[in-house]
Amino acid sequence: MLNNKIVVIIGGAGLLGQSFVQAVEEAHGIAICADIVSAEYPVDITSKESIQALIQKITSVYGKIDAVVNSAYPRTKTFGNHFFDVEYADFCQNTNLQLGGAFLVMQQFAHYFKEQGYGNMVNISSIQGVVAPKFETYEGTPMSSPVAYSAIKAGVIHMTRYVAKYLKGTNIRVNCMSPGGILDGQNELFLKQYKDVCLNKGMLDNADLNGTLLYLLSDLSQYVNGQNIVVDDGFSL
Ligand SMILES: NC(=O)c1ccc[n+]([C@@H]2O[C@H](COP(=O)([O-])OP(=O)(O)OC[C@H]3O[C@@H](n4cnc5c(N)ncnc54)[C@H](O)[C@@H]3O)[C@@H](O)[C@H]2O)c1
């Protein structure tokens, strides 16, 4: 599906990023794993210069970039705090890191893609940016969903629409995927309560997102532009 396509996965060392890198390679694309912790392709999505240096490094090696996926997830240590415990500064910092970072990635790659004459961007949002959290799934656990996360993820979906439309006539498409929760050793009670609000599986494995990612990266979705695809086993219904 991705024969010879150069696909940059930002946040490629993370839970989702690692399986995205593998999926792109299995589809015969060339996956570039870019991450703040990567030695080969380091990038900080909150720095314009860092994103520019990444683009330059990749193009000097491969001569082109077909697509970028932003799966980076910078956050503060107190990001998980419950609503009444969130400090203003913390809300702003997480918004700057995640929503500001998503903006910078799109802006800098759009610059490059315009010069190149085409391009494809995939943002990673979340069901928390589509519907309000189902707080009942956290009952009896210390977990919650951060208020900034809902604001940021809704922002990522709408910024996707903005940038797609702004880039009219450039052969650049911009789409978004909004996954449900991904299995990562969570508390059993939470997993049960979460499954109760889904249709079949409940929390998903990271590989369950790969089909949608490959579709958005491939020419099968050539005229899908400015869209958000929810992959959540019906959580958001
Ligand atoms: N895990 C889930 O359940 C889930 C569900 C829905 C949506 N998402 C979304 O998927 C995306 C990836 O989440 P994840 O679970 O893989 O997170 P993760 O923390 O496992 O991975 C994120 C990666 O981003 C990198 N990173 C952090 N700050 C960075 C920066 N400033 N610049 C570049 N890279 C940076 C980290 O080193 C890490 O490798 C996020 O947008 C998240 O909101 C995750």
Side-chain angles (χ1 to χ4, degrees):
M1 271 172 97
L2 303 183
N3 235 351
N4 296 322
K5 283 195 198 292
I6 308 293
V7 180
V8 186
I9 313 284
I10 303 184
L15 178 68
L16 270 54
Q18 285 180 36
S19 79
F20 291 160
V21 166
Q22 199 183 335
V24 167
E25 283 172 355
E26 284 170 9
H28 301 138
I30 296 162
I32 312 292
C33 173
D35 200 292
I36 203 161
V37 300
S38 163
E40 201 177 1
Y41 289 104
V43 66
D44 177 356
I45 63 161
T46 66
S47 156
K48 183 168 150 177
E49 293 71 27
S50 171
I51 299 168
Q52 288 172 343
L54 174 72
I55 293 171
Q56 202 170 11
K57 183 164 184 188
I58 296 168
T59 51
S60 71
V61 177
Y62 294 99
K64 64 163 187 167
I65 298 173
D66 293 287
V68 61
V69 180
N70 181 16
S71 187
Y73 190 11
R75 55 212 191 265
T76 63
K77 287 201 168 59
T78 49
F79 187 51
N81 277 1
H82 286 239
F83 180 67
F84 286 116
D85 301 324
V86 176
E87 296 292 343
Y88 174 73
D90 201 51
F91 181 96
C92 294
Q93 198 180 349
N94 281 294
T95 308
N96 287 347
L97 292 168
Q98 296 175 42
L99 194 55
F103 151 71
L104 261 189
V105 168
M106 285 194 276
Q107 186 196 48
Q108 294 309 306
F109 274 85
H111 265 307
Y112 171 74
F113 286 151
K114 266 187 94 169
E115 263 174 49
Q116 180 176 250
Y118 70 93
N120 186 353
M121 305 193 218
V122 179
N123 292 315
I124 308 298
S125 178
S126 161
I127 38 162
Q128 307 292 7
V130 177
V131 293
K134 298 192 195 276
F135 292 110
E136 65 269 31
T137 62
Y138 303 116
E139 260 166 40
T141 82
M143 300 165 72
S144 190
S145 185
V147 59
Y149 196 60
S150 291
I152 291 162
K153 291 305 190 184
V156 168
I157 295 168
H158 208 55
M159 207 160 39
T160 299
R161 300 182 181 120
Y162 179 106
V163 178
K165 197 155 185 183
Y166 191 85
L167 296 174
K168 178 178 177 178
T170 61
N171 289 319
I172 303 169
R173 50 200 191 96
V174 191
N175 289 294
C176 189
M177 168 162 52
S178 291
I182 304 299
L183 286 162
D184 190 24
Q186 290 91 349
N187 167 316
E188 284 300 321
L189 176 61
F190 167 72
L191 291 177
K192 187 201 165 301
Q193 291 171 170
Y194 186 98
K195 190 173 177 190
D196 286 346
V197 298
C198 295
L199 300 184
N200 290 291
K201 179 166 175 170
M203 296 282 280
L204 302 178
D205 289 295
N206 45 11
D208 293 330
L209 307 177
N210 291 347
T212 301
L213 182 81
L214 294 179
Y215 168 69
L216 288 174
L217 290 174
S218 79
D219 297 341
L220 287 176
S221 60
Q222 195 175 357
Y223 294 105
V224 177
N225 204 343
Q227 302 304 307
N228 177 45
I229 301 186
V230 174
V231 185
D232 72 344
D233 188 32
F235 172 97
S236 54
L237 294 176

